[in-house]
Amino acid sequence: MNIQDIYGILVDKLTSWAEAAVAGLPNLVVAVAVLALFVVAGRLTSGLVRRIAKEVSEAEAIVRLMTRLTRYAIVVLGFIVALGILGLQKTVFSVLAGAGVVGLAIGFAFQDLAANFIAGIVMGLRKPFDVGDIIRTNDHMGTVRAINLRNTLLETFSGQLVIVPNKEVFENPLVNYSAEGLRRVEIEVGVAYDSDLERAAAIVREAVEHLDFLAPDTDVTVVAEEFGGSSINFTVRYWIEYPGEVGYPAARHAGIVAIKKAFDEHEIDIPFPIRTLDFSLTEDTAARFYMERAKEPSAVAA
């Protein structure tokens, strides 16, 4: 094959490509126009979806996610339609098949990441807690500082920042101390057996009722719970606003101080634990006891 033959083949190829390009130019123009229309439609639709999403959820991460997914879905649909106009149906099917395989592989490789992501979306829609709420979950208790699509950030009362995966928050029990705005304080206190129980309960109730941080329209209850080893034990319950100006530890401390001061003023004893020791064992009894112990197999082995 000489140079002229090669030149002829090259010219024929270029000519056929040029003719195909000219013949397909109208379809290309239409495909580009359609793709541009889908891009514009994606922007307009995403703006509408953003306004609707803000009414459904206040979480900015959820709003951004729904907006971007809408825009990307419309653009991808426009790209597929444009390929169909150009007669590249096989390419469309290949792209869809490849996307399916890649998506399946990614799903298996990042199962935990996907689970946290989906849990974050569901939590953003249900809103079991907000930023600033005090919650307990997975043995962690603190103030919610941020809610992301993958994790929740808690600041504990000791100042540490705990990052909890959304999957664990979603699947485990959750206590929201800020949901009702109230929290009950419980204090156990014992009085001597010879005390007047009705009088002691009234004194405790009066002492706690004088605390200035109790939640309005709530009652102080004093209930006798059990006969203890050296005292009759009461449980004192009262409510505080939570979160509020006075925290739970401070409210409990103030209650204990008020009860102790009231008992001192009214001469009501809080008894110490009592242990009774029996020294009436005689020498003969002790001798028989040790002889019997010596006959036991465990004693011999020892």
Side-chain angles (χ1 to χ4, degrees):
M1 181 178 295
N2 53 29
I3 297 178
Q4 291 181 352
D5 293 336
I6 296 175
Y7 177 76
I9 294 174
L10 181 60
V11 170
D12 292 339
K13 286 291 184 182
L14 292 176
T15 303
S16 62
W17 289 347
E19 292 175 352
V22 172
L25 185 60
N27 291 339
L28 179 61
V29 173
V30 174
V32 173
V34 168
L35 182 59
L37 287 176
F38 271 91
V39 171
V40 174
R43 292 181 179 178
L44 296 177
T45 306
S46 63
L48 178 62
V49 170
R50 181 177 182 83
R51 289 193 293 270
I52 297 175
K54 283 187 175 181
E55 297 179 359
V56 176
S57 175
E58 296 179 359
E60 183 62 25
I62 300 296
V63 174
R64 289 198 304 268
L65 175 65
M66 296 178 67
T67 302
R68 291 176 180 176
L69 286 179
T70 302
R71 179 183 299 178
Y72 295 156
I74 294 176
V75 172
V76 170
L77 179 61
F79 182 73
I80 294 174
V81 173
L83 290 178
I85 293 174
L86 294 174
L88 301 175
Q89 288 84 357
K90 293 183 178 180
T91 304
V92 174
F93 294 142
S94 299
V95 170
L96 293 177
V101 173
V102 171
L104 186 62
I106 293 176
F108 278 110
F110 299 98
Q111 293 183 21
D112 292 338
L113 183 62
N116 290 325
F117 186 77
I118 295 174
I121 294 175
V122 176
M123 288 168 53
L125 296 175
R126 290 185 177 180
K127 296 183 70 63
F129 53 85
D130 293 317
V131 175
D133 287 355
I134 297 175
I135 67 171
R136 180 193 295 275
T137 179
N138 299 287
D139 297 328
H140 299 294
M141 182 175 179
T143 304
V144 179
R145 291 305 179 199
I147 306 172
N148 302 320
L149 290 178
R150 289 177 295 179
N151 49 57
T152 299
L153 277 65
L154 288 181
E155 183 181 353
T156 65
F157 298 135
S158 56
Q160 281 76 36
L161 189 65
V162 181
I163 301 175
V164 186
N166 285 335
K167 177 184 175 183
E168 297 183 7
V169 179
F170 184 74
E171 293 180 347
N172 291 284
L174 170 71
V175 181
N176 189 340
Y177 292 94
S178 302
E180 300 297 333
L182 296 174
R183 185 173 180 182
R184 190 174 70 182
V185 181
E186 292 189 1
I187 299 175
E188 295 182 358
V189 60
V191 298
Y193 270 88
D194 58 355
S195 301
D196 185 341
L197 300 184
E198 295 292 341
R199 176 171 173 266
I203 291 172
V204 171
R205 185 179 297 106
E206 182 180 1
V208 174
E209 287 177 344
H210 281 83
L211 298 175
D212 58 0
F213 53 80
L214 299 183
D217 301 327
T218 59
D219 297 327
V220 177
T221 59
V222 182
V223 181
E225 295 284 352
E226 62 179 356
F227 293 92
S230 57
S231 64
I232 294 180
N233 299 325
F234 287 89
T235 299
V236 187
R237 300 183 177 94
Y238 54 95
W239 296 85
I240 62 173
E241 294 181 348
Y242 196 80
E245 296 182 0
V246 179
Y248 180 84
R252 199 168 188 276
H253 169 79
I256 293 175
V257 171
I259 294 171
K260 177 62 168 60
K261 186 180 297 184
F263 277 4
D264 291 343
E265 291 177 356
H266 294 83
E267 298 181 352
I268 296 178
D269 293 331
I270 302 177
F272 295 99
I274 298 174
R275 298 290 183 270
T276 302
L277 302 178
D278 187 3
F279 295 98
S280 61
L281 191 65
T282 62
E283 293 183 1
D284 294 339
T285 304
R288 287 197 301 271
F289 173 77
Y290 286 114
M291 290 178 62
E292 292 176 358
R293 288 283 297 171
K295 295 179 182 178
E296 296 179 0
S298 58
V300 174

